[in-house]
Amino acid sequence: MASSSETMKDVEKQWSNICLDEEEEFVTELEEDASDEVEYDDRWCLIGKLLSGKISDYQVFQNIIADLWKPGKGMYVKILEQNRFLFQFYHEIDIDRVITGSPWTYDRKQLLIERLRPGDNPRTKPIHHLDLWVQIHNLQPGFKTDNVVRQAAKYMGSFLETDPNNFKGVWREYLRVRVRMNTDLPLKRRMKFRRVGGETFYANFKYERVPTFCFICGIMGHSERLCKKLYELPADRIDKPYSIEMKAPSRRQNFLVASPWLRSAKQHVQSGDVDGEGSDRGAGVSPQSKEAFNSVSNHGKSVYSDHNMPANHLHNNRDADITIVNGVNGDKGPSIVINDNDSTFMSDDELTILDLKRKRTERDSITNSSVTDTVDMEQINVIYTG
């Protein structure tokens, strides 16, 4: 029985070899004739993938991307693989708007895109570039030139363009340049410059809208918690040369300088000037501040409190701390004290401050009704402390 089974295996092996030989020997030879070949319009095509993660719902993905890009002539999306997509546009303006508007994110995941060139295979074309605006800080006088900006861009990746406002105005804290980065390589932290016959210095880089990157290896797409070097080196030998300082803060910030006549809450309480001579119930907020506050009052959130509630402290994740206290400035109602570290406050969104300081006596003269438990919006006092 053993010999018969071995004989069958030998026969099967020989038969398979015969089939393979036939495949190698059979050749179809044709002349090139492109007249009947179907031409695909790949003039305005992008291929893309997520830098990390994957798409959970393709239908939702293509609708969100279309709403985000808003192509005037429309677009078509085709999924090639689990994390590879083809985006076809129908006009140069639409595809150029998407390319110049990068980087793009979907569901807080970075979307990498590459333009498809004639003859490229969308399934095999590498996708590992990301266009970012980079800020160049700490350039010394004599080095704030267009040539230096271009050299720095080439050091980080491929130069794309410079900010047209780089050399306008009296003084700029940093210069901006748009760079095409290779996501397979570490980010550059700084660049070394040397004066001819002089000393050296470093110019530091800050990346705008940069995705998650590793503080250990500096590569985008993962954090240090998932870095491969954790498995290659002992924990005591792991170094983190990269930091959050390489991430540029948001440039969309609104600054409002506090009035010099505004007293802090601490000074206000220590002075003991409560509804006395020279103290007005409307002195806590300057007219300029009220005008600025009212201009954005339709876009913010209202603050409500209870007369009997204890002092509450609300932490703002920006630069200000908000405290709700009772009895400040002699008022029976609660007051909002905003403590700011540098006499300025900033917000990525429009900040709403309530219009207030209407005298309570005016309200009492209109009605004799008792004060309700809900705090009237016009009775809340706002005090900024520097």
Side-chain angles (χ1 to χ4, degrees):
M1 294 295 294
S3 60
S4 62
S5 61
E6 293 178 357
T7 303
M8 290 298 298
K9 290 181 180 179
D10 294 338
V11 172
E12 292 176 356
K13 185 176 182 180
Q14 292 176 2
W15 176 253
S16 62
N17 291 334
I18 293 174
C19 295
L20 293 176
D21 292 340
E22 289 180 354
E23 293 178 357
E24 295 295 332
E25 293 176 357
F26 184 80
V27 179
T28 302
E29 185 175 355
L30 297 173
E31 295 181 0
E32 290 189 18
D33 185 10
S35 59
D36 296 335
E37 185 177 359
V38 178
E39 294 184 0
Y40 297 96
D41 189 0
D42 55 1
R43 293 175 296 171
W44 306 306
C45 290
L46 294 175
I47 54 173
K49 71 172 186 178
L50 295 180
L51 181 60
S52 59
K54 60 182 181 179
I55 301 298
S56 57
D57 192 324
Y58 169 66
Q59 296 296 331
V60 174
F61 168 74
Q62 65 175 354
N63 280 278
I64 291 180
I65 290 297
D67 290 340
L68 183 64
W69 289 344
K70 298 179 175 62
K73 294 293 184 178
M75 62 179 291
Y76 170 75
V77 184
K78 179 179 177 61
I79 182 170
L80 303 176
E81 297 175 1
Q82 176 63 35
N83 190 23
R84 182 177 284 261
F85 311 94
L86 175 66
F87 306 99
Q88 183 177 8
F89 299 86
Y90 300 94
H91 200 281
E92 181 67 26
I93 292 178
D94 290 334
I95 191 172
D96 184 68
R97 185 189 298 122
V98 172
I99 294 174
T100 56
S102 64
W104 302 97
T105 58
Y106 169 76
D107 193 22
R108 295 182 295 180
K109 303 180 182 71
Q110 193 68 50
L111 179 64
L112 305 183
I113 55 176
E114 294 277 356
R115 182 158 189 173
L116 202 63
R117 302 300 177 183
D120 286 344
N121 188 340
R123 293 186 179 273
T124 59
K125 183 178 176 64
I127 309 175
H128 51 73
H129 287 103
L130 180 63
D131 300 344
L132 293 174
W133 280 100
V134 185
Q135 301 175 2
I136 308 175
H137 290 254
N138 307 121
L139 283 174
Q140 295 186 2
F143 288 84
K144 295 183 178 181
T145 64
D146 184 71
N147 181 47
V148 170
V149 172
R150 291 174 179 268
Q151 292 296 328
K154 294 178 181 178
Y155 173 69
M156 290 181 281
S158 301
F159 170 80
L160 294 178
E161 61 176 318
T162 59
D163 189 339
N165 297 320
N166 275 344
F167 306 103
K168 293 182 180 179
V170 179
W171 178 83
R172 291 184 65 86
E173 184 179 358
Y174 55 83
L175 302 180
R176 298 176 71 235
V177 61
R178 187 173 175 85
V179 185
R180 174 156 295 176
M181 315 289 299
N182 190 333
T183 57
D184 296 333
L185 301 178
L187 294 172
K188 302 294 186 181
R189 298 178 300 161
R190 57 187 183 176
M191 185 175 180
K192 191 175 184 179
F193 292 90
R194 178 184 287 111
R195 298 179 181 274
V196 178
E199 60 182 8
T200 61
F201 70 93
Y202 287 97
N204 299 313
F205 303 139
K206 292 181 181 292
Y207 299 86
E208 298 180 5
R209 298 169 62 186
V210 63
T212 299
F213 63 93
C214 179
F215 292 170
I216 299 175
C217 66
I219 296 179
M220 294 178 283
H222 68 272
S223 63
E224 64 271 18
R225 184 172 57 89
L226 302 175
C227 184
K228 295 180 179 179
K229 287 190 176 182
L230 294 176
Y231 303 94
E232 301 173 358
L233 297 174
D236 57 348
R237 294 181 57 188
I238 295 294
D239 187 24
K240 296 182 179 180
Y242 304 87
S243 68
I244 195 65
E245 296 296 327
M246 296 173 58
K247 184 175 182 180
S250 175
R251 301 178 68 244
R252 295 181 179 179
Q253 297 173 351
N254 298 323
F255 294 88
L256 180 62
V257 180
S259 170
W261 293 277
L262 211 59
R263 293 194 296 179
S264 67
K266 184 176 180 180
Q267 295 173 339
H268 195 73
V269 175
Q270 289 179 351
S271 64
D273 187 7
V274 180
D275 284 339
E277 184 178 357
S279 173
D280 182 62
R281 293 178 61 89
V285 179
S286 65
Q288 295 86 347
S289 300
K290 287 185 178 181
E291 182 179 356
F293 300 157
N294 292 336
S295 64
V296 295
S297 61
N298 293 330
H299 303 284
K301 297 180 179 179
S302 301
V303 179
Y304 293 94
S305 179
D306 188 89
H307 287 278
N308 299 323
M309 66 181 296
N312 293 330
H313 182 76
L314 306 178
H315 179 69
N316 191 323
N317 59 1
R318 296 176 175 87
D319 287 339
D321 291 336
I322 301 176
T323 307
I324 300 178
V325 297
N326 292 325
V328 176
N329 199 26
D331 295 330
K332 297 181 181 180
S335 301
I336 299 178
V337 180
I338 301 181
N339 303 298
D340 200 0
N341 295 329
D342 56 358
S343 76
T344 63
F345 66 89
M346 62 182 178
S347 174
D348 296 336
D349 302 319
E350 291 181 327
L351 187 64
T352 300
I353 308 298
L354 306 176
D355 186 17
L356 37 92
K357 288 297 185 181
R358 182 175 297 177
K359 291 184 179 182
R360 200 163 196 162
T361 55
E362 296 178 358
R363 185 172 184 270
D364 294 337
S365 62
I366 298 175
T367 176
N368 294 326
S369 61
S370 59
V371 179
T372 60
D373 292 336
T374 303
V375 177
D376 190 278
M377 301 298 294
E378 298 173 349
Q379 294 177 304
I380 302 178
N381 301 320
V382 176
I383 303 173
Y384 288 88
T385 64

